[in-house]
Amino acid sequence: MSDQYIEKAEETILHTYDRYPVVFDRGEGVHLYDVDGKEYLDFAAGIAVQSLGYHNREYTQALKDQIDKLTHISNLYYTVPMMEAAQKVVKASGLSRVFFTNSGAEAIEGALKAAKKYAYERDGKADHEIIAMEHSFHGRTMGALSVTGNEKYQAPFRPLIPGVRFAVYNDLESVKAQITEKTCAIILETVQGEGGIRPATEDFLKGVKALCREHDLLLILDEIQCGMGRTGWMFAWQEYGVEPDIMTCAKAIGCGVPVGAFVLGERAAKGSLKSGDHGTTYGGNPFACAAVSKVFDLYEKEHILENVRTVGAYLTERLDALVEKYDFLKERRGKGMIQGLEVTGRSAGEIAARALSNGLVVITAGGNVLRFVPPLVITKEDVDCMVERLERSF
Ligand SMILES: *Cc1c(COP(=O)(O)O)cnc(C)c1O
């Protein structure tokens, strides 16, 4: 059955992805089932999205209830779900103002505009620069692509937005070297995801924050992949005690409903985007916000952060043991439930493909890395099962 669906899809879908040859049909907890009824253990979560696992009853009920009331009304009006979702984001982050978007890339676009507007208000003129990191990933729209340090992704689409300078992640001197009198912001992922699962060092993040203070720059932390509990903290920066001026969220904030947000601290909120400066038709509609709101409730109710800390420590231990055991595994990187194994002399992609046929969903990241971003509700038994299926795939 799968083969026929795949053939039909390939006749009509623009081929921008080399998809794995599987047609998924439904999910339950941490398991997925394809159209032929085969079971898979999921350690990818739809790319770090499905934190609560699949078919969480309370979550789906909240969505059904909202569908029966109101799905969309535009940002010309207020709705209760938007008010509630925004309150929960502000409370969890300690930041000041939220703008909801439909995706991660759009959250980045908004963050870049806010930074440029902040500098424009301050200086009374435009033409500001942004410092971004090599091997970063911020999305595929033109603005987000402009700050994505990946030559292959950027090359065909130049010219991108001007005034972006790249520095080396975890190298404070290289960031300093890119600061000019035009710089308005520094953007980075608290843990680089797509680029190969690399957490910021504490010295680096604190150093970047100090540079931002010294030069009146805005610190933009992209928490789209590493945020929402994945490191064992609601937002990865909270572990470092380094508060961003602007934070971007998406992926797990909706747990399957397409929604993102950029969230501004007091200083950025007061001095940047004003009435008429930014907008979106769908962004923050009551359906999306009902999802966000329920996600925050369920994180508390289901003790998600506690689970990431305990089971994440166990995952770390088991992955470290694999690095000890197999020569072709060079190192483990990451925190909690955002982990990577760097592979040498073999293809991580081929291992991931074999894992899939062995009933394990894992994905890869840049630099020949196996990426583990499971639902945050996994148990130690799930970790054991993952390791067993993974070792079979080596
Ligand atoms: C996925 C991702 C994005 C882009 O999000 P989309 O919803 O795919 O546009 C941006 N930044 C990071 C760190 C991501 O992991």
Side-chain angles (χ1 to χ4, degrees), residues 162-205:
V164 177
R165 293 164 167 268
F166 286 94
V168 179
Y169 194 72
N170 280 338
D171 179 345
L172 193 61
E173 289 308 313
S174 83
V175 178
K176 262 184 211 164
Q178 297 301 331
I179 295 177
T180 73
E181 71 279 4
K182 287 185 176 180
T183 312
C184 69
I186 301 176
I187 181 168
L188 64 133
E189 295 152 88
T190 320
V191 178
Q192 282 194 335
E194 201 71 34
I197 315 294
R198 285 173 201 279
T201 61
E202 190 172 338
D203 284 351
F204 179 67
L205 204 57

Short mmCIF file of all heavy atoms in Angstrom, two decimals, residues 162-205:
data_model
loop_
_atom_site.label_atom_id
_atom_site.label_comp_id
_atom_site.label_asym_id
_atom_site.label_seq_id
_atom_site.Cartn_x
_atom_site.Cartn_y
_atom_site.Cartn_z
N PRO A 162 20.83 42.44 3.25
CA PRO A 162 22.21 42.90 3.44
C PRO A 162 22.53 43.13 4.91
O PRO A 162 21.63 43.20 5.76
CB PRO A 162 22.25 44.22 2.67
CG PRO A 162 20.85 44.70 2.63
CD PRO A 162 19.96 43.49 2.70
N GLY A 163 23.81 43.23 5.21
CA GLY A 163 24.23 43.62 6.55
C GLY A 163 24.24 42.49 7.56
O GLY A 163 24.10 42.73 8.75
N VAL A 164 24.36 41.24 7.09
CA VAL A 164 24.49 40.11 8.03
C VAL A 164 25.95 39.67 8.04
O VAL A 164 26.54 39.42 6.99
CB VAL A 164 23.58 38.93 7.64
CG1 VAL A 164 23.80 37.76 8.59
CG2 VAL A 164 22.12 39.36 7.63
N ARG A 165 26.53 39.61 9.23
CA ARG A 165 27.91 39.15 9.37
C ARG A 165 27.91 37.88 10.21
O ARG A 165 27.18 37.79 11.18
CB ARG A 165 28.74 40.20 10.12
CG ARG A 165 28.93 41.49 9.36
CD ARG A 165 29.40 42.58 10.31
NE ARG A 165 29.88 43.74 9.58
CZ ARG A 165 31.15 43.92 9.23
NH1 ARG A 165 32.08 43.05 9.59
NH2 ARG A 165 31.51 44.98 8.55
N PHE A 166 28.76 36.94 9.82
CA PHE A 166 28.80 35.66 10.54
C PHE A 166 30.01 35.54 11.45
O PHE A 166 31.10 35.94 11.10
CB PHE A 166 28.75 34.50 9.54
CG PHE A 166 27.39 34.31 8.96
CD1 PHE A 166 27.05 34.91 7.75
CD2 PHE A 166 26.42 33.58 9.64
CE1 PHE A 166 25.77 34.77 7.22
CE2 PHE A 166 25.14 33.44 9.12
CZ PHE A 166 24.81 34.03 7.91
N ALA A 167 29.75 34.99 12.63
CA ALA A 167 30.81 34.73 13.61
C ALA A 167 30.84 33.24 13.90
O ALA A 167 29.96 32.49 13.46
CB ALA A 167 30.55 35.52 14.89
N VAL A 168 31.85 32.81 14.63
CA VAL A 168 31.99 31.39 14.96
C VAL A 168 31.30 31.12 16.30
O VAL A 168 31.58 31.81 17.29
CB VAL A 168 33.48 30.98 15.03
CG1 VAL A 168 33.63 29.50 15.40
CG2 VAL A 168 34.16 31.27 13.70
N TYR A 169 30.41 30.15 16.30
CA TYR A 169 29.66 29.79 17.51
C TYR A 169 30.64 29.36 18.61
O TYR A 169 31.62 28.66 18.36
CB TYR A 169 28.73 28.63 17.16
CG TYR A 169 27.64 28.33 18.16
CD1 TYR A 169 26.56 29.18 18.33
CD2 TYR A 169 27.68 27.16 18.91
CE1 TYR A 169 25.53 28.88 19.21
CE2 TYR A 169 26.66 26.84 19.80
CZ TYR A 169 25.59 27.71 19.94
OH TYR A 169 24.57 27.41 20.82
N ASN A 170 30.37 29.80 19.81
CA ASN A 170 31.22 29.49 20.98
C ASN A 170 32.62 30.09 20.89
O ASN A 170 33.55 29.61 21.54
CB ASN A 170 31.30 27.97 21.22
CG ASN A 170 30.07 27.45 21.94
OD1 ASN A 170 29.36 28.21 22.61
ND2 ASN A 170 29.81 26.17 21.83
N ASP A 171 32.76 31.15 20.08
CA ASP A 171 34.05 31.85 19.98
C ASP A 171 33.77 33.35 20.14
O ASP A 171 33.43 34.05 19.18
CB ASP A 171 34.70 31.54 18.62
CG ASP A 171 36.04 32.26 18.44
OD1 ASP A 171 36.33 33.21 19.21
OD2 ASP A 171 36.77 31.89 17.51
N LEU A 172 33.91 33.82 21.36
CA LEU A 172 33.52 35.20 21.69
C LEU A 172 34.34 36.23 20.91
O LEU A 172 33.81 37.24 20.45
CB LEU A 172 33.66 35.44 23.19
CG LEU A 172 32.99 36.71 23.71
CD1 LEU A 172 31.48 36.70 23.46
CD2 LEU A 172 33.27 36.90 25.20
N GLU A 173 35.64 35.95 20.73
CA GLU A 173 36.49 36.89 19.99
C GLU A 173 35.98 37.10 18.57
O GLU A 173 36.01 38.22 18.05
CB GLU A 173 37.94 36.40 19.97
CG GLU A 173 38.66 36.49 21.32
CD GLU A 173 38.57 37.88 21.96
OE1 GLU A 173 38.80 38.88 21.25
OE2 GLU A 173 38.24 37.97 23.17
N SER A 174 35.51 36.02 17.96
CA SER A 174 35.02 36.13 16.58
C SER A 174 33.75 36.98 16.51
O SER A 174 33.49 37.64 15.51
CB SER A 174 34.79 34.75 15.96
OG SER A 174 33.53 34.24 16.33
N VAL A 175 32.96 36.96 17.59
CA VAL A 175 31.77 37.82 17.63
C VAL A 175 32.19 39.27 17.78
O VAL A 175 31.72 40.15 17.04
CB VAL A 175 30.83 37.41 18.80
CG1 VAL A 175 29.62 38.35 18.86
CG2 VAL A 175 30.37 35.96 18.64
N LYS A 176 33.10 39.51 18.69
CA LYS A 176 33.62 40.87 18.90
C LYS A 176 34.13 41.47 17.60
O LYS A 176 33.90 42.63 17.29
CB LYS A 176 34.80 40.83 19.89
CG LYS A 176 34.42 41.17 21.31
CD LYS A 176 35.66 41.19 22.20
CE LYS A 176 35.28 40.77 23.61
NZ LYS A 176 36.43 40.41 24.43
N ALA A 177 34.83 40.64 16.83
CA ALA A 177 35.46 41.11 15.59
C ALA A 177 34.43 41.55 14.55
O ALA A 177 34.76 42.29 13.62
CB ALA A 177 36.34 40.00 15.01
N GLN A 178 33.18 41.09 14.69
CA GLN A 178 32.15 41.46 13.70
C GLN A 178 31.33 42.68 14.12
O GLN A 178 30.49 43.15 13.35
CB GLN A 178 31.21 40.26 13.46
CG GLN A 178 31.88 39.03 12.86
CD GLN A 178 32.53 39.31 11.53
OE1 GLN A 178 32.11 40.18 10.76
NE2 GLN A 178 33.60 38.57 11.23
N ILE A 179 31.53 43.18 15.32
CA ILE A 179 30.73 44.34 15.77
C ILE A 179 31.23 45.62 15.10
O ILE A 179 32.43 45.88 15.05
CB ILE A 179 30.80 44.48 17.31
CG1 ILE A 179 30.14 43.26 17.98
CG2 ILE A 179 30.11 45.76 17.77
CD1 ILE A 179 30.22 43.26 19.50
N THR A 180 30.28 46.36 14.53
CA THR A 180 30.61 47.68 13.95
C THR A 180 29.65 48.70 14.58
O THR A 180 28.78 48.33 15.36
CB THR A 180 30.41 47.70 12.42
OG1 THR A 180 29.00 47.70 12.15
CG2 THR A 180 31.07 46.51 11.75
N GLU A 181 29.77 49.96 14.17
CA GLU A 181 28.84 50.95 14.73
C GLU A 181 27.43 50.77 14.20
O GLU A 181 26.48 51.37 14.70
CB GLU A 181 29.36 52.40 14.54
CG GLU A 181 29.33 52.95 13.15
CD GLU A 181 30.52 52.48 12.31
OE1 GLU A 181 31.36 51.65 12.79
OE2 GLU A 181 30.62 52.93 11.16
N LYS A 182 27.29 49.89 13.17
CA LYS A 182 25.96 49.64 12.60
C LYS A 182 25.25 48.44 13.22
O LYS A 182 24.07 48.21 12.95
CB LYS A 182 26.09 49.39 11.10
CG LYS A 182 26.41 50.61 10.26
CD LYS A 182 26.38 50.15 8.81
CE LYS A 182 26.59 51.31 7.84
NZ LYS A 182 26.55 50.79 6.46
N THR A 183 25.96 47.64 14.00
CA THR A 183 25.35 46.41 14.52
C THR A 183 24.15 46.73 15.41
O THR A 183 24.22 47.62 16.25
CB THR A 183 26.38 45.61 15.36
OG1 THR A 183 27.59 45.51 14.62
CG2 THR A 183 25.87 44.23 15.69
N CYS A 184 23.05 45.98 15.20
CA CYS A 184 21.88 46.19 16.06
C CYS A 184 21.52 44.96 16.87
O CYS A 184 20.82 45.07 17.87
CB CYS A 184 20.68 46.68 15.26
SG CYS A 184 19.97 45.46 14.15
N ALA A 185 21.96 43.77 16.44
CA ALA A 185 21.54 42.57 17.16
C ALA A 185 22.49 41.41 16.90
O ALA A 185 23.20 41.38 15.89
CB ALA A 185 20.12 42.16 16.73
N ILE A 186 22.50 40.48 17.84
CA ILE A 186 23.22 39.20 17.67
C ILE A 186 22.18 38.10 17.80
O ILE A 186 21.41 38.08 18.77
CB ILE A 186 24.31 39.04 18.74
CG1 ILE A 186 25.31 40.20 18.66
CG2 ILE A 186 25.02 37.69 18.59
CD1 ILE A 186 26.40 40.19 19.74
N ILE A 187 22.14 37.21 16.82
CA ILE A 187 21.16 36.12 16.85
C ILE A 187 21.87 34.78 16.91
O ILE A 187 22.83 34.54 16.18
CB ILE A 187 20.19 36.18 15.64
CG1 ILE A 187 19.16 35.05 15.73
CG2 ILE A 187 20.93 36.13 14.29
CD1 ILE A 187 18.00 35.19 14.75
N LEU A 188 21.42 33.92 17.83
CA LEU A 188 21.97 32.57 17.89
C LEU A 188 20.99 31.61 18.54
O LEU A 188 20.07 32.04 19.24
CB LEU A 188 23.30 32.55 18.66
CG LEU A 188 23.27 32.94 20.13
CD1 LEU A 188 24.07 31.94 20.95
CD2 LEU A 188 23.87 34.32 20.31
N GLU A 189 21.20 30.33 18.25
CA GLU A 189 20.43 29.28 18.93
C GLU A 189 21.13 28.98 20.25
O GLU A 189 22.35 28.84 20.28
CB GLU A 189 20.42 28.01 18.08
CG GLU A 189 19.71 28.13 16.75
CD GLU A 189 20.28 27.17 15.72
OE1 GLU A 189 19.82 26.02 15.64
OE2 GLU A 189 21.20 27.55 14.98
N THR A 190 20.37 28.84 21.32
CA THR A 190 20.96 28.52 22.62
C THR A 190 21.63 27.15 22.56
O THR A 190 22.69 26.94 23.15
CB THR A 190 19.89 28.57 23.73
OG1 THR A 190 19.02 29.67 23.48
CG2 THR A 190 20.51 28.70 25.10
N VAL A 191 20.99 26.23 21.85
CA VAL A 191 21.63 24.97 21.46
C VAL A 191 21.45 24.86 19.95
O VAL A 191 20.32 24.83 19.48
CB VAL A 191 20.97 23.74 22.13
CG1 VAL A 191 21.63 22.44 21.67
CG2 VAL A 191 20.98 23.85 23.65
N GLN A 192 22.54 24.84 19.19
CA GLN A 192 22.39 24.69 17.75
C GLN A 192 21.80 23.32 17.45
O GLN A 192 22.32 22.30 17.93
CB GLN A 192 23.74 24.84 17.04
CG GLN A 192 24.18 26.29 16.92
CD GLN A 192 25.34 26.49 15.93
OE1 GLN A 192 26.11 25.56 15.69
NE2 GLN A 192 25.46 27.69 15.40
N GLY A 193 20.72 23.29 16.66
CA GLY A 193 20.02 22.03 16.39
C GLY A 193 20.45 21.44 15.06
O GLY A 193 21.32 20.57 14.99
N GLU A 194 19.83 21.95 13.99
CA GLU A 194 20.09 21.51 12.62
C GLU A 194 21.59 21.41 12.29
O GLU A 194 22.02 20.50 11.59
CB GLU A 194 19.43 22.55 11.69
CG GLU A 194 19.15 22.08 10.31
CD GLU A 194 18.02 21.08 10.27
OE1 GLU A 194 17.08 21.19 11.08
OE2 GLU A 194 18.11 20.18 9.42
N GLY A 195 22.37 22.34 12.82
CA GLY A 195 23.80 22.40 12.50
C GLY A 195 24.61 21.26 13.13
O GLY A 195 25.81 21.13 12.86
N GLY A 196 24.01 20.46 14.01
CA GLY A 196 24.74 19.31 14.55
C GLY A 196 24.66 19.14 16.06
O GLY A 196 25.47 18.44 16.65
N ILE A 197 23.67 19.75 16.71
CA ILE A 197 23.44 19.63 18.16
C ILE A 197 24.68 20.10 18.95
O ILE A 197 25.51 19.29 19.39
CB ILE A 197 23.04 18.19 18.60
CG1 ILE A 197 21.99 17.59 17.67
CG2 ILE A 197 22.56 18.17 20.04
CD1 ILE A 197 20.62 18.26 17.68
N ARG A 198 24.80 21.42 19.06
CA ARG A 198 25.90 22.01 19.82
C ARG A 198 25.35 23.03 20.81
O ARG A 198 24.85 24.08 20.40
CB ARG A 198 26.87 22.76 18.89
CG ARG A 198 27.74 21.85 18.09
CD ARG A 198 28.55 22.63 17.07
NE ARG A 198 28.98 21.73 16.03
CZ ARG A 198 30.04 20.92 16.12
NH1 ARG A 198 30.80 20.96 17.19
NH2 ARG A 198 30.34 20.10 15.14
N PRO A 199 25.44 22.75 22.11
CA PRO A 199 25.01 23.74 23.11
C PRO A 199 26.01 24.89 23.19
O PRO A 199 27.22 24.69 23.03
CB PRO A 199 25.02 22.95 24.43
CG PRO A 199 25.15 21.51 24.06
CD PRO A 199 25.85 21.48 22.74
N ALA A 200 25.50 26.09 23.46
CA ALA A 200 26.39 27.22 23.74
C ALA A 200 27.12 26.93 25.05
O ALA A 200 26.56 26.34 25.97
CB ALA A 200 25.57 28.50 23.88
N THR A 201 28.39 27.35 25.13
CA THR A 201 29.08 27.25 26.42
C THR A 201 28.60 28.42 27.28
O THR A 201 28.15 29.45 26.76
CB THR A 201 30.60 27.35 26.25
OG1 THR A 201 30.91 28.62 25.66
CG2 THR A 201 31.14 26.24 25.37
N GLU A 202 28.71 28.24 28.58
CA GLU A 202 28.22 29.28 29.47
C GLU A 202 29.02 30.58 29.29
O GLU A 202 28.45 31.67 29.24
CB GLU A 202 28.31 28.79 30.92
CG GLU A 202 27.61 29.73 31.88
CD GLU A 202 27.52 29.18 33.29
OE1 GLU A 202 27.61 27.95 33.45
OE2 GLU A 202 27.38 29.99 34.21
N ASP A 203 30.33 30.44 29.18
CA ASP A 203 31.18 31.63 28.98
C ASP A 203 30.79 32.39 27.73
O ASP A 203 30.75 33.62 27.72
CB ASP A 203 32.66 31.23 28.85
CG ASP A 203 33.26 30.86 30.19
OD1 ASP A 203 32.59 31.09 31.22
OD2 ASP A 203 34.40 30.34 30.20
N PHE A 204 30.52 31.64 26.66
CA PHE A 204 30.16 32.28 25.39
C PHE A 204 28.86 33.05 25.53
O PHE A 204 28.78 34.23 25.17
CB PHE A 204 30.05 31.22 24.30
CG PHE A 204 29.66 31.77 22.96
CD1 PHE A 204 30.53 32.59 22.26
CD2 PHE A 204 28.43 31.46 22.38
CE1 PHE A 204 30.18 33.11 21.00
CE2 PHE A 204 28.08 31.95 21.15
CZ PHE A 204 28.95 32.78 20.45
N LEU A 205 27.83 32.39 26.05
CA LEU A 205 26.52 33.03 26.12
C LEU A 205 26.56 34.26 27.03
O LEU A 205 26.01 35.32 26.70
CB LEU A 205 25.47 32.03 26.60
CG LEU A 205 24.04 32.34 26.19
CD1 LEU A 205 23.91 32.46 24.68
CD2 LEU A 205 23.08 31.27 26.70
#
